[in-house]
Amino acid sequence: TLWHHQWLASGASFIMFGIAVYRKCSSGYPNISLSAPLPGIPKPVFAAVDSHEQCETKITTLENGLKVASQNKFGQFCTVGILVNSGSRHETKYPSGIAHFLEKLAFSSTAQYGSKDEILLTLEKHGGICDCQTSRDTTMYAVSAEVKGLDTVVSLLSDAVLQPRLLDEEIEMTRMAVRFELEDLSMRPDPELLLTEMIHAAAYRGNTVGLPRFCPVESVEKIDKKLLHMYLQSYYCPERMVLAGVGIEHEQLVACARKYLLNVKPVWGASTPTNVDLSVAQYTGGIVRMDMSDVSLGPTPIPELTHIMIGLESCSFLEDDFIPFAVLNMMMGGGGSFSAGGPGKGMFTRLYLNVLNRHHWMYNATSYHHSYEDTGLLCIHASADPRQVREMVEILTREFIQMAGTAGEMELERAKTQLKSMLMMNLESRPVIFEDVGRQVLATGKRKLPHELCDLISNVTASDIKRVTTKMLCSKPAVAALGDLTEMPSYEHIQAALSSKDGHLPRMYRLFR
């Protein structure tokens, strides 16, 4: 085509120009080096950023105790939201499932908006979307919209958090949504969510982060408007909230906070923060089993695989050891047996090299690290055919014991580089920056910047990994088991293996098989 010929001609002329320049340079400077500055060329002047990096995240505390935190990120859109220090861990005095209900009821009708559709239409005018997520310790209401609509967004957030109507029909619809989600949870082919629930229940039996994150079936009918108001009265107070924003000017966000969040009386009346549950997480260890050996739908047993998760107590995210544990988790890595290799895919982590590459019958081996303000849990999830459960458990216990050995210099550097890379790549996303700013300010009142975290990661040594692992191995194991558990070793045997030098399970002698 004509375009193709023009492209070739322009490419050829560019190459000829390059050759001419090279000949000219070569004749003038026979010993030229591309690594040294060219003689006669002025020194380049680079643009400098006016503001200091340490001022990136600005924090203001209003008169009522509400914190306003922001980070400017230039662009047309912003992400703004309210984070509340409230989650399933605070439901000790209430039926479990209130946080789950509030997540489903978020952005429904309010004093200002008649329905969820009205809220969505208002946001659409500013190209916006909204979402609410709850975890074990935090509830997060967030909106992403055009910067020009900031006033409307903060007004809407204030209304959604402090003035929800909680109509009977909305609560009934939420009951239906919760029931459906519970059914879906138990039928999912990927049991990761269910296993995470089970491992927390085993590790912190009946307290704080061990309380169910999803509403139990028996609580669905118990939760009503009166109970929700009682809970909101205790936990939704300004001193337990942060208004966080990314992509907006701090002064503008503070002005909107004063306008819509300073002297607003919530629909449930005055807050009573004296009723807040301040329990500290008590790690208990233990086992939670869900034996499905007798479940069958047709000729193939469901599920086909047995899933095991073994965890040990780590530390809270406020402790200095949190960074070494994060590096250890990255060093263990892992994933599914079906994975495409390549740089950065984690194929050199221990769970790939020592487990998945050596044992073809293992379908999955993945390390997870859950951390909270007063505790933490490092666990490994593995899945295999039910007939090989005992061997699989022994492989996991051996990996835990080997964590206490001296880490190789190359694998440690690789894990640290991978962790820094993951941190920086995630913080390219505006919603992730928003969540990072909000959670850090909510938990600590300040924010550690990415370069500070990278410095802490760089300073982790092999002796740090050995020290935190040795401390972790002193705790009782938490075990979650799902599937056909006929060949599952006893909890006492798992505990004995984790207390041994090599991680082997005690030998079993059987007269009959």
Side-chain angles (χ1 to χ4, degrees), residues 204 283 311-315 325 374-378 472 475-476:
Y204 306 93
Y283 182 86
L312 294 167
E313 188 180 21
S314 58
C315 72
F325 269 116
D374 50 4
T375 187
L377 190 66
L378 188 129
M472 177 180 73
S475 63
K476 285 175 67 178

Side-chain angles (χ1 to χ4, degrees), residues 444-462:
T444 65
K446 57 183 189 292
R447 184 190 180 217
K448 276 184 182 168
L449 294 172
H451 72 86
E452 294 176 73
L453 292 169
C454 285
D455 290 343
L456 291 170
I457 293 166
S458 298
N459 293 335
V460 174
T461 62

Side-chain angles (χ1 to χ4, degrees), residues 84-87 90-94 98 102 139 161-162 225-241 266-278:
V84 190
N85 187 1
S86 152
H90 300 108
E91 294 172 357
T92 314
K93 301 174 185 174
Y94 302 87
I98 289 179
L102 289 172
T139 300
V161 175
L162 301 175
K225 185 175 181 175
K226 186 182 175 184
L227 197 65
L228 291 169
H229 274 186
M230 280 172 63
Y231 180 86
L232 292 165
Q233 203 169 24
S234 297
Y235 291 96
Y236 278 46
C237 44
E239 53 268 36
R240 297 178 65 84
M241 293 183 185
V267 71
W268 50 83
S271 297
T272 54
T274 48
N275 294 335
V276 168
D277 177 47
L278 299 172

Side-chain angles (χ1 to χ4, degrees), residues 240-439:
R240 297 178 65 84
M241 293 183 185
V242 169
L243 174 68
V246 175
I248 29 78
E249 294 288 342
H250 186 69
E251 291 71 24
Q252 203 180 347
L253 186 63
V254 171
C256 288
R258 288 187 182 281
K259 186 175 174 183
Y260 297 112
L261 291 161
L262 189 54
N263 296 309
V264 180
K265 189 180 178 184
V267 71
W268 50 83
S271 297
T272 54
T274 48
N275 294 335
V276 168
D277 177 47
L278 299 172
S279 304
V280 176
Q282 302 296 316
Y283 182 86
T284 59
I287 185 166
V288 172
R289 300 161 58 102
M290 193 179 285
D291 197 331
M292 302 178 80
S293 53
D294 56 345
V295 176
S296 180
L297 298 175
T300 309
I302 305 291
E304 294 174 356
L305 301 177
T306 296
H307 300 269
I308 305 291
M309 196 180 263
I310 299 176
L312 294 167
E313 188 180 21
S314 58
C315 72
S316 93
F317 56 66
L318 300 175
E319 294 177 49
D320 293 338
D321 285 344
F322 172 66
I323 300 293
F325 269 116
V327 174
L328 174 63
N329 179 53
M330 192 58 69
M331 198 161 73
M332 298 309 295
S337 59
F338 182 82
S339 177
K345 290 300 289 286
M347 301 292 275
F348 286 97
T349 56
R350 283 191 186 183
L351 292 179
Y352 264 112
L353 293 176
N354 301 347
V355 178
L356 294 167
N357 289 0
R358 294 185 186 182
H359 308 283
H360 65 90
W361 45 268
M362 292 275 282
Y363 282 77
N364 186 14
T366 314
S367 176
Y368 297 96
H369 187 217
H370 306 279
S371 201
Y372 306 96
E373 64 182 355
D374 50 4
T375 187
L377 190 66
L378 188 129
C379 41
I380 299 176
H381 165 216
S383 53
D385 187 275
R387 290 166 294 184
Q388 286 162 311
V389 170
R390 185 177 176 82
E391 195 178 343
M392 173 172 71
V393 170
E394 188 167 83
I395 288 166
L396 295 190
T397 54
R398 283 209 309 266
E399 283 304 311
F400 271 112
I401 295 297
Q402 285 166 17
M403 285 182 199
T406 305
E409 188 182 343
M410 188 181 286
E411 75 166 343
L412 181 60
E413 284 305 312
R414 185 186 283 123
K416 293 197 297 190
T417 305
Q418 207 171 343
L419 182 59
K420 286 186 278 189
S421 168
M422 187 179 288
L423 174 73
M424 300 309 287
M425 286 172 72
N426 283 335
L427 288 172
E428 288 287 307
S429 162
R430 191 182 64 249
V432 174
I433 300 172
F434 155 75
E435 191 172 341
D436 182 50
V437 170
R439 284 182 181 275

Side-chain angles (χ1 to χ4, degrees), residues 29 50 60 72 74 114 118 152 178 197 208 264 296 299 314 384 401 481:
Y29 309 104
D50 295 333
T60 302
N72 210 350
F74 303 100
E118 275 188 45
T152 307
V178 166
E197 277 290 285
T208 58
V264 180
S296 180
S314 58
I401 295 297

